[in-house]
Amino acid sequence: MGVEAGAHAARSRALAVLRIRSRAVAVALLPAAVAAVLLVGGATGRLGGGWSAARGAVTAVAVVVLLCGAGIALVVARARPAVSPTVPVGEKAAPDLYRLVRDLADRLDVPVPSAIALTPDCDSWLEDRTHPAHGTPPHSDRGGAEDEEAIRGPRGIRGRLRAPFLISGGSGAGDGSRRADTAPVLVIGSPFLWWMRVGELRAVLAPVVAGTGPSAHPDIAAARRFVRGLDAAVAVTSDPGRGPLVRTAGAGAGWVARLLLRSCREHAAEMERGVAAAAAERAQTVDYGVRIVAQEQVGLAYAGWDRLLTRVALPAWRMGRWPSRLDAGVVAALTELSRRDRLAEGFTSRLGQRPACDLLEEPGTVDEAVSLLAARLFHGGPAESGPDWAPVAWHEYPEEVVDRKWRMDAARLHRVLDALGVRHCPDASRAGAQGPTLARLLDHLSVPGGADGGDGSTAETPDAVPGTLPDNASPGNGSPDYASPDYASPGNGSPGDVLDSVHDGGEDEGGTVPAAALAAVLAAEVAREEAAAGPGPVPAAGQQTGPDRGLLDDGMLPLFPLQPPRTGRELLADHVIAMVCCAAMDTAGAVPGLDWLDGPTLLVRGKRAADLPPLVRTLVDTGDPGPLRDWLGRSGVRAEKPVRLV
C-alpha cells in the first residue's frame, strides 16, 4: 500500500466514522423536525384541529430527546480522554533531540510534533493532547519559560513529576483555534535513548514522525476526536464513585456511547491501519538500511528493560527504594548480556558510537524522572521521595537493597518460626544457641524419608506444639500475635488453623507438610504487613484532585503490575535463600552483590552463587537438606552460628 493509497483509505474510513456521528445527530434532531412541521402546519392552518394532540405529544418527545441528546453531547465533549503518563521534555532540556525530530519532519515533508515526552516503556507513538481538559497546548515559539519548566523547575524533578497527571483545564480565548492546528506530541520510550545510537533512534522514529502527516488531515483528526470522546464518555459514565442520580443519568449516556463505539469500531481500526501504512511508506526514504538493524535493537532493549524491572528494580521497590538510574541500568544489563551470549557479541561494538541520550542536556535528571515514573506505574510508589521511599544509586544497591532485603526476610522468617513454636538448637548451653540460626530452619524443614515424609512426621520435637506461642514469641517481644482475634481472619489464620488446613489438604501446594505450613503462615504474615502499610498518601488540602490524580492515589496503582502475587512456596523459597545468604555473609565472608540480569546475588569468594536457588527449592519441595548442607560445607558457612537481623 503506497503513501497515497494508505492516506486515501484512512480518509475514507474517517468519513465513515463521521457519517456515524452525523446519523446520531440526525436521529436526535428527527423528533424536533417533525414537531416543527406540525407546529408550522398548525400555525398556518394547513393542519386541522385533529392534529393538536399529535403536536403536543411530538413536541414533548422532541424536547425530551433534545435534552437527552444535548446531555450526551456534553458528556462526550467534556469527558477527558486518557493521556499516557509521561515525563515532558522541553526544548531547552534537549535541543539536539528537537533538532533531530525537526530534521526528520522536514525530510518527510510532514508537520513537526508539537512537543516531546518520554515514557518508561519500549515503544514510541504520537499522542493528541489538544482536548481542552489537557490544558494549554504547547506554544509554537521555542525556548519559552514553559520549556524551561518541563524538566527544570523550582520544585525539583520529583515535584515536577506530578505535572503530566495534573494538567489543569482552563485556557485563553484564543486556544480553540490554536488547538485545531496543534500537532500531536511525540512520545519516546526512554530505554531507546540510552541503548540506541543516534542513527538508530532516527531510523526508529522516522515512521512515527511520518504519522503527523495523515494526522493533520481535518477528517482524520475529527474522527479521532470523536472516537476518543466516546471512549472517555464510557469511562466517565462507568465510574462507580458517583451518586445514584448521576449514575442513573450516566447509564443512558454510557449505553449510547457504547453503541456508537461498536458502530465505528471497525472503521476506526481500519483508519489507524491506513495511517500507519501511509506513515511507514513515507518513512521508507529515510535510513532504510539502518532501520533494519535498529529493529533488532528494539527487541533487545525490550528484553533488557523487562529483565531489569522484574529482577532488579522490583526488589528495590518492595524495600521502599527506587533506583534512580533505570535507563542507565538497561545499558549495563544489555552489555552484560552481550558478554555472556556469544550471539550478542556484535552489539558491544556499538557502544563506541554516540548514544542517543547525548541528545539530552541533563541525561541524569531525565533518567531520574523516568525512573520515578516507572516506580509509580509498575509498583504504585508515592509521587515524591520520603523516609520510606528514597532513591538509591546503583553502587549503593548491594548494601541498601540486597543486604537489607535478606536480613528483613530472615527476621520475618524467624518471627514466624517463633509463632509456630519451632524450638532452637537442642544444645542450649552453647553460646548463641537461642539466637536466629540457619540450623534451626534446616532442622524444621528436613523430613525423614524425603518428599514422601515417611510417616508424615515433621522434624519438630514433642515440645514444639503447633499453634502455640513460646515464651520468647509473645506479642510484646516484637512478634505478631497470630492467635489474637485481631489477627485471625479469613486471610490471616492462626498457626494452628493453618496447620489444620494443611493437614486437611486445604493449603497444601505440594512439597512437605512443614514447608507447606510454614509457607502458609509466612504468606499470611506478608499479607498482614502489606495491609498495615496502607494506601498511598492522599492529596493535601487545596491540591488539585482530577480523575488522573484519583487514579494514582486511591489504591488503583500499580497500573501495570510486573508480576502476579507470589505463592506461599515462592515466598518460602525466597526467605530461605535470604536466611542462607545472611549466614554466608556473617560466617563465611560472603558479600551481597548485584547481577544486572538476575538481580540480587550472593558473592562467595568473588563468584556468584548461581547454584544456590535450586538447592533451596529441593529442600522446600522434598524436605531433603543434603544438597544444601553439602553446599554450605563447601562454602564454609556455619549453620549453627546466629546471624544478624534487622
Side-chain angles (χ1 to χ4, degrees), residues 380 382 534-538 553 555:
V538 297
D553 286 328

Side-chain angles (χ1 to χ4, degrees), residues 8 204 222 380 496 513 531 536:
H8 178 73
V204 169
V513 171

Side-chain angles (χ1 to χ4, degrees), residues 89-95 98 142-145 147-148 152 360-362:
V89 178
E91 185 166 359
K92 283 195 173 182
Y98 273 80
R142 296 188 283 270
D147 290 337
E148 183 73 19
R152 310 185 190 95
L360 305 173
E361 288 293 299
E362 299 179 4

Side-chain angles (χ1 to χ4, degrees), residues 10 50 140 172 179 208 213-214 269 271 304 312 350 428 488 492 517 557 561 568 580 624 639:
S140 58
R179 290 179 191 279
V208 183
M271 177 185 68
V312 179
R350 303 170 48 260
N492 296 327
L557 284 172
V580 173
D624 181 11

Side-chain angles (χ1 to χ4, degrees), residues 392-646:
V392 59
W394 290 125
H395 68 276
E396 301 171 339
Y397 188 95
E399 292 295 330
E400 291 291 326
V401 176
V402 180
D403 184 84
R404 291 181 63 244
K405 174 184 182 300
W406 286 342
R407 297 192 185 278
M408 289 180 65
D409 287 352
R412 183 186 299 113
L413 184 59
H414 277 277
R415 288 199 304 269
V416 173
L417 290 175
D418 291 340
L420 286 173
V422 179
R423 68 178 182 84
H424 292 267
C425 180
D427 187 3
S429 62
R430 189 167 52 196
Q434 297 299 318
T437 63
L438 177 59
R440 178 195 188 192
L441 176 62
L442 296 179
D443 292 341
H444 176 66
L445 293 178
S446 301
V447 174
D452 294 336
D455 58 355
S457 62
T458 67
E460 301 175 65
T461 57
D463 61 334
V465 181
T468 61
L469 290 173
D471 294 337
N472 63 346
S474 62
N477 194 34
S479 299
D481 188 0
Y482 292 89
S484 68
D486 295 335
Y487 188 87
S489 64
N492 296 327
S494 66
D497 297 336
V498 171
L499 284 178
D500 291 341
S501 62
V502 169
H503 283 287
D504 293 339
E507 299 280 347
D508 195 357
E509 301 175 350
T512 63
V513 171
L518 184 57
V521 181
L522 187 62
E525 168 69 359
V526 172
R528 186 191 67 85
E529 292 180 0
E530 292 177 351
V538 297
Q543 192 173 20
Q544 182 175 346
T545 56
D548 290 333
R549 183 69 189 182
L551 179 66
L552 293 174
D553 286 328
D554 63 357
M556 295 184 68
L557 284 172
L559 298 179
F560 312 104
L562 294 176
Q563 291 180 341
R566 291 174 291 178
T567 64
R569 289 177 62 193
E570 291 173 342
L571 283 171
L572 177 59
D574 291 343
H575 284 68
V576 174
I577 291 175
M579 186 62 199
V580 173
C581 292
C582 290
M585 290 187 296
D586 292 344
T587 66
V591 295
L594 168 61
D595 185 270
W596 291 109
L597 298 177
D598 296 326
T601 186
L602 181 69
L603 300 178
V604 180
R605 302 185 185 95
K607 296 182 179 180
R608 290 194 312 125
D611 53 344
L612 177 59
L615 302 179
V616 171
R617 284 194 293 268
T618 300
L619 172 64
V620 172
D621 293 341
T622 67
D624 181 11
L628 181 57
R629 290 187 184 276
D630 293 341
W631 182 89
L632 295 175
R634 293 193 305 269
S635 303
V637 180
R638 302 285 300 276
E640 72 281 1
K641 293 290 186 179
V643 298
R644 178 175 60 87
L645 305 178
V646 293

Side-chain angles (χ1 to χ4, degrees), residues 35-124:
V37 170
L38 294 178
L39 291 174
V40 172
T44 58
R46 293 181 178 274
L47 297 177
W51 289 89
S52 59
R55 280 196 299 270
V58 173
T59 301
V61 172
V63 171
V64 173
V65 173
L66 283 178
L67 290 177
C68 293
I72 294 172
L74 185 64
V75 170
V76 173
R78 293 184 61 85
R80 180 175 179 176
V83 177
S84 303
T86 56
V87 174
V89 178
E91 185 166 359
K92 283 195 173 182
D96 292 340
L97 181 59
Y98 273 80
R99 190 177 303 112
L100 181 147
V101 173
R102 280 197 297 270
D103 292 343
L104 263 180
D106 291 341
R107 293 176 62 181
L108 296 169
D109 194 21
V110 295
V112 181
S114 59
I116 297 177
L118 299 183
T119 181
D121 192 11
C122 293
D123 198 2
S124 299

